[in-house]
Amino acid sequence: MSAASKGFPLHPIGTDSRRRTGSLIGASGLAVLGLVILAGTPHARAQTVGGAPSGLAPTQCDNQKFLSDQAGFMQTGPTRVDLPEHICGQVVSVARRSRRTRSGVHGYFILQTAPGHSIRIVSDLDRMNAPNWPWVKPGDQVDVVGRYYFDSERSQGIDWTHHGTGRHWALPGFVQVNGTRYE
């Protein structure tokens, strides 16, 4: 099943249009966050930024945690909760050109985490020490640490895949392609 038929767009869409109004977490968001904390996998603690905890990130690739988090969002819908993820898999599609958005220049690719499950990866090329885009190609084995956002079934992905942090995200990320790490 292709990424597009699973509801994940293959064309680059900027993440700068995401809503960021307030920091209240609804009951469904707390339930998803509680499931993440109770999962019991090894995690590295992220710092707190602007009074909002950024959460926990698996220290190793944990596609099962990601698939569980994704299924939770599919059931509850958008919760304004972003989750730290550490996933790995094979690249199935790459946007040939980078795209300039309000927040900078971004590169996009689709990563297959399990048979029939793909997710869009967003890389902020202005903040990463990486060669000119594209530095990833279909078939590459990739390891990603970043922020999983879910605005809708068709608008979800993993961003903050660079070493920087911000007011709303305290966990540095990276993209490792065939053993070469870009952050």
Side-chain angles (χ1 to χ4, degrees):
M1 184 174 281
S2 74
S5 65
K6 290 289 295 171
F8 304 110
L10 295 178
H11 54 83
I13 298 175
T15 60
D16 51 23
S17 64
R18 300 196 53 227
R19 291 166 290 152
R20 288 283 175 205
T21 55
S23 61
L24 297 176
I25 299 174
S28 58
L30 287 174
V32 170
L33 189 57
L35 289 174
V36 170
I37 292 170
L38 293 174
T41 57
H43 293 86
R45 190 154 204 58
Q47 299 174 3
T48 300
V49 173
S54 61
L56 306 169
T59 56
Q60 297 178 19
C61 173
D62 191 348
N63 288 349
Q64 192 55 49
K65 174 192 174 303
F66 167 70
L67 293 172
S68 175
D69 292 344
Q70 188 179 48
F73 281 133
M74 293 289 196
Q75 279 188 334
T76 63
T79 62
R80 295 188 185 168
V81 173
D82 296 325
L83 300 175
E85 299 291 348
H86 186 160
I87 63 171
C88 55
Q90 186 172 34
V91 175
V92 294
S93 177
V94 178
R96 285 182 270 158
R97 292 189 204 152
S98 59
R99 181 174 178 203
R100 179 168 297 282
T101 68
R102 289 183 302 185
S103 60
V105 178
H106 295 82
Y108 303 84
F109 63 94
I110 304 296
L111 183 68
Q112 181 176 357
T113 57
H117 294 277
S118 301
I119 190 71
R120 181 175 63 170
I121 308 297
V122 181
S123 296
D124 187 337
L125 303 176
D126 290 336
R127 296 183 184 178
M128 295 182 85
N129 62 354
N132 289 334
W133 184 259
W135 37 260
V136 64
K137 64 186 180 314
D140 283 345
Q141 292 299 313
V142 176
D143 209 328
V144 176
V145 170
R147 172 181 72 173
Y148 174 44
Y149 65 89
F150 184 93
D151 294 334
S152 71
E153 185 176 342
R154 295 192 53 83
S155 178
Q156 59 179 308
I158 296 182
D159 61 5
W160 282 89
T161 60
H162 57 279
H163 67 279
T165 61
R167 190 170 56 137
H168 295 291
W169 195 251
L171 182 67
F174 66 84
V175 177
Q176 186 168 309
V177 182
N178 298 325
T180 302
R181 187 169 166 150
Y182 304 109
E183 34 185 15

